[in-house]
Amino acid sequence: MTKQLLLGQTLGFSGNPLISDWADAVEFDSAGGVLIDGDRIVTVGNGAALQAAHPGAVVTDYGQGLISAGFVDAHMHYPQTGMIASWGKQLIDWLNTYTFPEEARFGNPGYAADVAGRTLDLALAHGTTTLTSFCTIHPESVDAFFDAAANRNMAVVAGKTCMDRNAPDDLRDTAQSAYDDSKALLTKWHGQGRAQYAITPRFSPTSTPDQMAALGALWSEHPDCLMQTHLSEQHPEIRWVKELYPDARDYLDTYEAHGLLGERGLYGHAIHLEPREVSRLNEISAAVIHCPTSNTFIGSGLFDTLGLAAAGLRIGLATDTGGGSSFSMLRTMAAAYEIGQLRGVALHPAQLMWLATEGSAQAVHMKGQIGHLNAGAWADIVVLDLASTAAIAQRFEKARDIWDALFPTIMMGDDRAIADVWVAGQRVT
Ligand code: GUN
Ligand code: ZN
Protein backbone atom coordinates (compact mmCIF):
# COMPACT_ATOMS: atom_id res chain seq x y z
CA MET A 1 0.00 0.00 0.00
CA THR A 2 1.23 3.53 -0.75
CA LYS A 3 2.59 5.33 2.25
CA GLN A 4 1.49 8.86 3.13
CA LEU A 5 3.93 11.46 4.45
CA LEU A 6 2.54 14.53 6.23
CA LEU A 7 4.98 17.44 6.58
CA GLY A 8 4.60 20.36 8.97
CA GLN A 9 5.24 21.23 12.60
CA THR A 10 4.66 18.10 14.70
CA LEU A 11 3.58 17.98 18.34
CA GLY A 12 3.44 14.83 20.43
CA PHE A 13 4.20 13.78 24.00
CA SER A 14 6.54 11.35 25.72
CA GLY A 15 5.19 11.99 29.24
CA ASN A 16 2.45 13.68 31.26
CA PRO A 17 3.08 17.44 31.46
CA LEU A 18 0.55 17.80 34.31
CA ILE A 19 2.86 15.95 36.71
CA SER A 20 6.33 16.59 35.26
CA ASP A 21 8.03 19.64 33.78
CA TRP A 22 6.03 20.20 30.57
CA ALA A 23 9.27 20.76 28.61
CA ASP A 24 10.39 17.20 29.41
CA ALA A 25 7.08 15.72 28.24
CA VAL A 26 6.90 17.41 24.83
CA GLU A 27 8.12 16.14 21.44
CA PHE A 28 8.03 19.08 19.03
CA ASP A 29 9.64 19.46 15.61
CA SER A 30 9.17 22.67 13.59
CA ALA A 31 10.12 20.73 10.41
CA GLY A 32 8.60 17.39 11.24
CA GLY A 33 7.01 14.55 9.33
CA VAL A 34 4.50 11.80 10.05
CA LEU A 35 4.73 8.65 7.95
CA ILE A 36 1.50 6.67 7.63
CA ASP A 37 1.23 3.14 6.30
CA GLY A 38 -2.34 1.92 5.94
CA ASP A 39 -4.28 2.93 9.04
CA ARG A 40 -1.26 3.41 11.34
CA ILE A 41 1.48 5.91 12.02
CA VAL A 42 4.79 4.15 11.36
CA THR A 43 7.31 6.93 12.08
CA VAL A 44 7.39 10.50 13.39
CA GLY A 45 10.62 12.36 12.73
CA ASN A 46 12.41 14.98 10.71
CA GLY A 47 10.37 15.73 7.58
CA ALA A 48 13.24 15.99 5.09
CA ALA A 49 14.89 12.83 6.38
CA LEU A 50 11.62 10.90 6.11
CA GLN A 51 11.08 12.18 2.58
CA ALA A 52 14.58 11.08 1.54
CA ALA A 53 14.10 7.65 3.11
CA HIS A 54 10.63 7.11 1.58
CA PRO A 55 10.73 8.60 -1.92
CA GLY A 56 7.58 6.68 -2.93
CA ALA A 57 5.43 8.18 -0.18
CA VAL A 58 2.61 10.56 -1.18
CA VAL A 59 3.51 13.89 0.42
CA THR A 60 1.06 16.41 1.89
CA ASP A 61 2.96 19.51 2.96
CA TYR A 62 1.12 21.59 5.59
CA GLY A 63 3.89 24.21 5.83
CA GLN A 64 3.58 25.87 9.25
CA GLY A 65 0.45 23.85 10.06
CA LEU A 66 0.62 22.01 13.38
CA ILE A 67 0.20 18.24 13.05
CA SER A 68 -1.17 16.65 16.23
CA ALA A 69 -2.97 13.50 17.23
CA GLY A 70 -6.70 13.96 16.64
CA PHE A 71 -8.65 15.26 19.63
CA VAL A 72 -10.31 12.74 21.93
CA ASP A 73 -13.55 13.86 23.60
CA ALA A 74 -13.80 11.76 26.77
CA HIS A 75 -17.42 12.55 27.75
CA MET A 76 -20.35 13.80 25.69
CA HIS A 77 -23.99 13.06 24.93
CA TYR A 78 -24.61 12.78 21.19
CA PRO A 79 -28.43 12.85 21.73
CA GLN A 80 -28.06 16.38 23.12
CA THR A 81 -26.66 17.83 19.88
CA GLY A 82 -30.12 19.16 18.98
CA MET A 83 -30.52 21.11 22.24
CA ILE A 84 -26.98 22.40 22.86
CA ALA A 85 -26.93 25.99 24.17
CA SER A 86 -30.37 25.94 25.81
CA TRP A 87 -30.90 28.94 28.04
CA GLY A 88 -31.31 29.65 31.69
CA LYS A 89 -31.25 26.45 33.77
CA GLN A 90 -28.93 24.62 36.14
CA LEU A 91 -28.40 20.88 36.17
CA ILE A 92 -31.62 19.27 37.45
CA ASP A 93 -33.96 21.84 35.84
CA TRP A 94 -31.87 21.73 32.66
CA LEU A 95 -32.25 17.94 32.49
CA ASN A 96 -36.03 18.09 33.03
CA THR A 97 -36.70 21.10 30.80
CA TYR A 98 -34.49 20.51 27.81
CA THR A 99 -32.62 17.20 27.94
CA PHE A 100 -35.23 14.58 28.72
CA PRO A 101 -37.80 15.77 26.11
CA GLU A 102 -35.08 15.66 23.42
CA GLU A 103 -33.73 12.27 24.54
CA ALA A 104 -37.28 10.82 24.38
CA ARG A 105 -37.10 11.13 20.57
CA PHE A 106 -34.32 8.56 20.19
CA GLY A 107 -36.57 5.51 20.19
CA ASN A 108 -37.04 6.46 16.52
CA PRO A 109 -34.10 4.83 14.69
CA GLY A 110 -34.24 7.30 11.79
CA TYR A 111 -33.99 10.30 14.11
CA ALA A 112 -31.19 8.64 16.09
CA ALA A 113 -29.24 7.87 12.90
CA ASP A 114 -29.65 11.44 11.69
CA VAL A 115 -28.35 13.00 14.92
CA ALA A 116 -25.58 10.41 15.32
CA GLY A 117 -24.25 11.11 11.82
CA ARG A 118 -24.55 14.86 12.29
CA THR A 119 -22.73 14.76 15.62
CA LEU A 120 -19.84 12.66 14.29
CA ASP A 121 -19.48 14.97 11.28
CA LEU A 122 -19.48 18.03 13.54
CA ALA A 123 -16.83 16.36 15.69
CA LEU A 124 -14.61 15.66 12.66
CA ALA A 125 -15.08 19.22 11.39
CA HIS A 126 -13.71 20.37 14.76
CA GLY A 127 -10.72 18.00 14.66
CA THR A 128 -12.15 15.45 17.09
CA THR A 129 -11.51 11.89 15.92
CA THR A 130 -12.87 9.99 18.95
CA LEU A 131 -16.09 10.56 20.89
CA THR A 132 -17.01 8.94 24.19
CA SER A 133 -20.77 9.26 24.26
CA PHE A 134 -23.79 8.57 26.38
CA CYS A 135 -26.73 7.40 24.26
CA THR A 136 -30.36 7.30 25.52
CA ILE A 137 -32.28 4.50 27.22
CA HIS A 138 -33.26 3.21 23.77
CA PRO A 139 -31.09 0.40 22.34
CA GLU A 140 -31.83 1.92 18.90
CA SER A 141 -29.85 5.01 19.91
CA VAL A 142 -26.80 2.85 20.65
CA ASP A 143 -27.00 0.96 17.36
CA ALA A 144 -27.38 4.26 15.50
CA PHE A 145 -24.25 5.72 17.07
CA PHE A 146 -22.01 2.68 16.62
CA ASP A 147 -23.26 2.24 13.03
CA ALA A 148 -22.51 5.87 12.17
CA ALA A 149 -19.04 5.62 13.76
CA ALA A 150 -18.28 2.38 11.90
CA ASN A 151 -19.25 4.06 8.61
CA ARG A 152 -16.61 6.69 9.36
CA ASN A 153 -14.08 4.17 10.75
CA MET A 154 -13.89 6.21 13.98
CA ALA A 155 -12.82 4.83 17.35
CA VAL A 156 -15.69 5.51 19.75
CA VAL A 157 -16.85 4.58 23.22
CA ALA A 158 -20.59 4.54 23.96
CA GLY A 159 -23.33 2.84 25.89
CA LYS A 160 -27.05 2.73 26.58
CA THR A 161 -27.89 5.29 29.28
CA CYS A 162 -29.78 3.51 32.07
CA MET A 163 -32.44 5.23 34.24
CA ASP A 164 -35.18 3.55 36.26
CA ARG A 165 -36.32 6.45 38.46
CA ASN A 166 -36.58 10.24 38.60
CA ALA A 167 -37.06 10.44 34.84
CA PRO A 168 -40.20 10.71 32.66
CA ASP A 169 -42.21 7.53 32.01
CA ASP A 170 -41.00 7.24 28.43
CA LEU A 171 -37.36 7.47 29.52
CA ARG A 172 -37.32 4.80 32.21
CA ASP A 173 -36.13 1.22 31.91
CA THR A 174 -35.92 -1.25 34.82
CA ALA A 175 -33.06 -2.93 36.63
CA GLN A 176 -33.65 -6.10 34.63
CA SER A 177 -34.16 -4.48 31.21
CA ALA A 178 -31.14 -2.22 31.73
CA TYR A 179 -29.07 -5.33 32.46
CA ASP A 180 -30.51 -7.32 29.54
CA ASP A 181 -30.32 -4.51 26.96
CA SER A 182 -26.81 -3.45 28.02
CA LYS A 183 -25.63 -7.06 27.89
CA ALA A 184 -27.05 -7.58 24.40
CA LEU A 185 -25.55 -4.31 23.18
CA LEU A 186 -22.09 -4.92 24.62
CA THR A 187 -22.09 -8.42 23.16
CA LYS A 188 -22.96 -6.92 19.78
CA TRP A 189 -20.61 -3.94 19.80
CA HIS A 190 -17.72 -4.18 22.26
CA GLY A 191 -14.49 -4.76 20.31
CA GLN A 192 -16.36 -4.73 17.01
CA GLY A 193 -14.04 -2.78 14.67
CA ARG A 194 -13.06 0.38 16.57
CA ALA A 195 -16.06 0.33 18.96
CA GLN A 196 -15.76 0.05 22.74
CA TYR A 197 -18.79 -0.40 25.00
CA ALA A 198 -19.24 1.55 28.24
CA ILE A 199 -21.85 0.36 30.74
CA THR A 200 -23.71 3.60 31.45
CA PRO A 201 -25.78 4.33 34.54
CA ARG A 202 -26.64 8.02 33.96
CA PHE A 203 -26.00 9.04 37.59
CA SER A 204 -27.02 7.86 41.05
CA PRO A 205 -30.27 9.93 41.25
CA THR A 206 -31.78 8.26 38.15
CA SER A 207 -30.91 4.66 39.08
CA THR A 208 -32.39 2.66 41.97
CA PRO A 209 -29.93 0.70 44.09
CA ASP A 210 -31.29 -2.41 42.31
CA GLN A 211 -30.38 -1.01 38.91
CA MET A 212 -26.95 0.10 40.13
CA ALA A 213 -26.32 -3.42 41.47
CA ALA A 214 -27.51 -5.05 38.23
CA LEU A 215 -25.13 -2.88 36.20
CA GLY A 216 -22.31 -3.51 38.70
CA ALA A 217 -22.89 -7.26 38.25
CA LEU A 218 -22.83 -6.84 34.46
CA TRP A 219 -19.51 -4.98 34.70
CA SER A 220 -18.01 -7.74 36.85
CA GLU A 221 -19.07 -10.23 34.16
CA HIS A 222 -17.51 -8.04 31.43
CA PRO A 223 -14.58 -6.29 33.13
CA ASP A 224 -12.99 -5.39 29.79
CA CYS A 225 -15.83 -2.93 29.14
CA LEU A 226 -15.62 0.63 30.32
CA MET A 227 -18.18 2.18 32.70
CA GLN A 228 -19.19 5.85 32.43
CA THR A 229 -21.30 8.02 34.70
CA HIS A 230 -21.47 11.43 36.42
CA LEU A 231 -20.01 12.38 39.80
CA SER A 232 -20.27 15.46 42.05
CA GLU A 233 -21.21 18.05 39.44
CA GLN A 234 -23.45 20.48 41.38
CA HIS A 235 -24.21 21.07 45.06
CA PRO A 236 -28.01 20.49 44.84
CA GLU A 237 -27.31 17.22 42.99
CA ILE A 238 -24.89 16.12 45.73
CA ARG A 239 -27.48 16.94 48.43
CA TRP A 240 -30.07 14.91 46.49
CA VAL A 241 -27.70 11.94 46.28
CA LYS A 242 -27.25 12.10 50.08
CA GLU A 243 -31.04 11.95 50.54
CA LEU A 244 -31.46 9.07 48.11
CA TYR A 245 -28.54 7.05 49.52
CA PRO A 246 -28.54 7.86 53.26
CA ASP A 247 -26.07 5.07 54.08
CA ALA A 248 -23.44 6.13 51.55
CA ARG A 249 -20.24 7.73 52.86
CA ASP A 250 -20.24 10.14 49.92
CA TYR A 251 -21.32 10.33 46.26
CA LEU A 252 -18.56 8.00 45.03
CA ASP A 253 -19.64 5.44 47.60
CA THR A 254 -23.05 5.15 45.91
CA TYR A 255 -21.19 3.68 42.94
CA GLU A 256 -18.67 1.67 44.93
CA ALA A 257 -21.37 0.01 47.05
CA HIS A 258 -22.93 -1.36 43.85
CA GLY A 259 -19.83 -2.58 42.03
CA LEU A 260 -19.54 0.56 39.90
CA LEU A 261 -16.10 1.76 40.98
CA GLY A 262 -13.22 0.40 38.94
CA GLU A 263 -10.08 1.15 37.02
CA ARG A 264 -12.02 1.27 33.75
CA GLY A 265 -14.56 3.69 35.24
CA LEU A 266 -14.97 7.21 33.81
CA TYR A 267 -16.44 9.73 36.25
CA GLY A 268 -17.61 12.90 34.53
CA HIS A 269 -17.27 16.34 36.17
CA ALA A 270 -15.89 15.32 39.63
CA ILE A 271 -15.80 18.94 40.77
CA HIS A 272 -16.83 18.96 44.43
CA LEU A 273 -14.97 15.88 45.68
CA GLU A 274 -14.41 14.97 49.34
CA PRO A 275 -10.83 14.02 50.28
CA ARG A 276 -11.94 10.39 50.70
CA GLU A 277 -13.30 10.32 47.17
CA VAL A 278 -10.05 11.67 45.76
CA SER A 279 -7.94 9.09 47.55
CA ARG A 280 -10.30 6.26 46.63
CA LEU A 281 -10.31 7.27 42.93
CA ASN A 282 -6.52 7.31 43.12
CA GLU A 283 -6.28 3.89 44.81
CA ILE A 284 -8.54 2.37 42.17
CA SER A 285 -6.81 4.28 39.33
CA ALA A 286 -10.17 5.41 37.93
CA ALA A 287 -10.38 8.40 35.56
CA VAL A 288 -12.12 11.72 36.13
CA ILE A 289 -13.25 13.76 33.14
CA HIS A 290 -13.01 17.55 33.06
CA CYS A 291 -15.93 19.18 31.20
CA PRO A 292 -15.04 22.87 31.44
CA THR A 293 -17.50 24.56 29.04
CA SER A 294 -20.32 22.61 30.68
CA ASN A 295 -19.11 23.47 34.16
CA THR A 296 -19.31 27.18 33.40
CA PHE A 297 -22.42 26.98 31.17
CA ILE A 298 -24.58 25.04 33.68
CA GLY A 299 -22.93 26.85 36.59
CA SER A 300 -21.36 23.80 38.24
CA GLY A 301 -17.98 24.92 39.58
CA LEU A 302 -14.23 24.97 39.09
CA PHE A 303 -12.54 21.60 38.48
CA ASP A 304 -9.11 21.34 40.14
CA THR A 305 -6.98 20.05 37.24
CA LEU A 306 -3.53 20.38 38.77
CA GLY A 307 -4.61 19.44 42.30
CA LEU A 308 -6.26 16.22 41.13
CA ALA A 309 -3.33 15.40 38.82
CA ALA A 310 -0.95 15.91 41.75
CA ALA A 311 -3.15 13.59 43.83
CA GLY A 312 -2.46 10.93 41.20
CA LEU A 313 -5.76 10.93 39.33
CA ARG A 314 -5.99 10.19 35.63
CA ILE A 315 -7.76 13.08 33.87
CA GLY A 316 -9.48 13.34 30.49
CA LEU A 317 -10.97 16.40 28.80
CA ALA A 318 -14.44 16.59 27.27
CA THR A 319 -17.03 18.83 25.65
CA ASP A 320 -19.99 17.32 27.55
CA THR A 321 -22.21 18.26 24.59
CA GLY A 322 -24.95 19.52 25.10
CA GLY A 323 -24.38 20.63 28.74
CA GLY A 324 -21.16 21.90 27.24
CA SER A 325 -21.59 24.85 24.92
CA SER A 326 -19.22 23.89 22.07
CA PHE A 327 -18.27 20.96 19.83
CA SER A 328 -14.72 22.31 19.71
CA MET A 329 -11.94 20.84 21.82
CA LEU A 330 -10.05 24.10 21.17
CA ARG A 331 -12.85 26.02 22.91
CA THR A 332 -12.85 23.30 25.57
CA MET A 333 -9.12 23.81 26.19
CA ALA A 334 -9.75 27.56 26.40
CA ALA A 335 -12.41 27.01 29.06
CA ALA A 336 -10.04 24.71 30.97
CA TYR A 337 -7.48 27.51 30.88
CA GLU A 338 -10.03 30.06 32.11
CA ILE A 339 -11.14 27.81 34.96
CA GLY A 340 -7.48 27.36 35.89
CA GLN A 341 -7.08 31.13 36.02
CA LEU A 342 -10.11 31.40 38.34
CA ARG A 343 -8.30 28.92 40.61
CA GLY A 344 -5.04 30.88 40.37
CA VAL A 345 -3.11 28.62 37.98
CA ALA A 346 -2.18 29.12 34.32
CA LEU A 347 -2.30 25.81 32.44
CA HIS A 348 0.42 25.72 29.79
CA PRO A 349 -0.61 25.10 26.14
CA ALA A 350 1.34 21.82 26.30
CA GLN A 351 -0.78 20.73 29.27
CA LEU A 352 -4.00 21.68 27.46
CA MET A 353 -3.03 19.84 24.26
CA TRP A 354 -1.99 16.80 26.31
CA LEU A 355 -5.38 16.73 28.04
CA ALA A 356 -7.21 16.90 24.69
CA THR A 357 -5.18 14.04 23.18
CA GLU A 358 -3.10 11.75 25.42
CA GLY A 359 -4.97 12.51 28.65
CA SER A 360 -8.37 11.65 27.22
CA ALA A 361 -6.99 8.61 25.36
CA GLN A 362 -5.43 7.29 28.56
CA ALA A 363 -8.66 7.97 30.48
CA VAL A 364 -10.59 5.76 28.06
CA HIS A 365 -7.84 3.11 28.18
CA MET A 366 -6.61 3.56 24.63
CA LYS A 367 -3.11 4.73 25.52
CA GLY A 368 -0.74 4.44 22.57
CA GLN A 369 -3.62 3.67 20.21
CA ILE A 370 -5.28 7.08 19.80
CA GLY A 371 -4.46 10.61 20.94
CA HIS A 372 -0.83 9.69 20.30
CA LEU A 373 1.41 11.05 17.55
CA ASN A 374 3.87 8.20 17.53
CA ALA A 375 4.73 4.95 15.81
CA GLY A 376 2.12 2.24 16.31
CA ALA A 377 -0.83 4.54 16.96
CA TRP A 378 -3.84 4.74 14.65
CA ALA A 379 -3.36 7.50 12.09
CA ASP A 380 -6.11 9.68 13.62
CA ILE A 381 -4.67 13.15 13.08
CA VAL A 382 -5.66 16.81 13.15
CA VAL A 383 -3.72 19.57 11.39
CA LEU A 384 -4.20 23.03 12.88
CA ASP A 385 -3.93 26.24 10.87
CA LEU A 386 -2.32 28.56 13.42
CA ALA A 387 -3.43 31.69 11.52
CA SER A 388 -7.03 30.78 10.72
CA THR A 389 -8.71 34.17 11.20
CA ALA A 390 -7.54 37.75 10.86
CA ALA A 391 -7.58 38.18 14.64
CA ILE A 392 -5.51 35.04 15.24
CA ALA A 393 -3.18 35.66 12.26
CA GLN A 394 -2.07 39.11 13.47
CA ARG A 395 -1.25 37.58 16.84
CA PHE A 396 0.47 34.54 15.26
CA GLU A 397 2.78 36.84 13.28
CA LYS A 398 4.23 38.20 16.52
CA ALA A 399 4.70 34.79 18.16
CA ARG A 400 8.12 34.10 19.67
CA ASP A 401 7.91 30.30 19.81
CA ILE A 402 5.48 27.44 19.12
CA TRP A 403 3.59 27.91 22.41
CA ASP A 404 3.10 31.60 21.78
CA ALA A 405 2.00 30.67 18.23
CA LEU A 406 -0.42 27.96 19.38
CA PHE A 407 -2.02 29.65 22.39
CA PRO A 408 -4.09 32.22 20.38
CA THR A 409 -5.57 29.33 18.37
CA ILE A 410 -6.43 27.48 21.59
CA MET A 411 -8.10 30.59 23.02
CA MET A 412 -9.76 32.01 19.90
CA GLY A 413 -9.86 29.12 17.41
CA ASP A 414 -12.84 27.12 16.18
CA ASP A 415 -13.56 24.84 13.21
CA ARG A 416 -11.90 27.37 10.90
CA ALA A 417 -8.59 26.40 12.53
CA ILE A 418 -8.96 22.78 11.41
CA ALA A 419 -6.84 22.59 8.26
CA ASP A 420 -7.21 18.84 7.82
CA VAL A 421 -8.31 15.66 9.58
CA TRP A 422 -7.22 12.06 9.03
CA VAL A 423 -9.03 9.02 10.42
CA ALA A 424 -7.34 5.63 10.31
CA GLY A 425 -4.97 6.81 7.58
CA GLN A 426 -7.69 8.33 5.40
CA ARG A 427 -8.08 12.04 4.82
CA VAL A 428 -11.64 13.08 5.68
CA THR A 429 -11.82 16.84 5.08
N1 GUN B 1 -25.88 14.50 35.07
C1 GUN B 1 -26.76 13.54 34.73
N2 GUN B 1 -27.08 13.61 33.42
C2 GUN B 1 -26.37 14.62 32.92
C3 GUN B 1 -26.27 15.19 31.61
O1 GUN B 1 -26.91 14.76 30.64
N3 GUN B 1 -25.42 16.25 31.48
C4 GUN B 1 -24.71 16.74 32.52
N4 GUN B 1 -23.89 17.76 32.33
N5 GUN B 1 -24.80 16.22 33.76
C5 GUN B 1 -25.62 15.18 33.96
ZN1 ZN C 1 -22.53 14.18 30.90
Side-chain angles (χ1 to χ4, degrees), residues 163-164 173-181 208-215:
M163 301 196 275
D164 67 342
D173 49 17
T174 66
Q176 189 64 47
S177 72
Y179 175 92
D180 292 341
D181 288 347
T208 60
D210 279 354
Q211 182 171 79
M212 301 271 270
L215 295 175

Side-chain angles (χ1 to χ4, degrees), residues 77 80 91 94-95 99 202-203 230 233 269 294 298 320 323:
H77 301 250
Q80 297 174 16
L91 180 59
W94 174 85
L95 284 171
T99 312
R202 180 176 215 117
F203 67 155
H230 297 86
E233 182 176 357
H269 300 279
S294 171
I298 312 188
D320 192 32

Side-chain angles (χ1 to χ4, degrees), residues 7-71:
L7 301 177
Q9 309 200 71
T10 52
L11 175 61
F13 295 94
S14 57
N16 178 349
L18 294 181
I19 55 172
S20 59
D21 187 342
W22 63 260
D24 296 336
V26 160
E27 290 177 339
F28 172 70
D29 192 333
S30 61
V34 178
L35 188 70
I36 299 170
D37 191 359
D39 52 21
R40 300 279 172 165
I41 297 172
V42 287
T43 322
V44 178
N46 175 266
L50 283 173
Q51 199 167 0
H54 301 276
V58 176
V59 174
T60 309
D61 190 347
Y62 293 108
Q64 291 197 305
L66 184 69
I67 304 173
S68 158
F71 299 134

Side-chain angles (χ1 to χ4, degrees), residues 260-316:
L260 292 169
L261 178 62
E263 190 189 352
R264 295 177 75 82
L266 313 174
Y267 301 86
H269 300 279
I271 301 168
H272 310 287
L273 297 176
E274 307 281 347
R276 192 202 80 88
E277 294 176 293
V278 175
S279 61
R280 201 68 193 112
L281 286 161
N282 179 39
E283 277 166 18
I284 297 290
S285 198
V288 292
I289 311 297
H290 184 15
C291 306
T293 72
S294 171
N295 297 344
T296 51
F297 181 75
I298 312 188
S300 303
L302 307 178
F303 181 88
D304 183 9
T305 305
L306 289 187
L308 294 176
L313 298 201
R314 297 189 300 112
I315 303 175

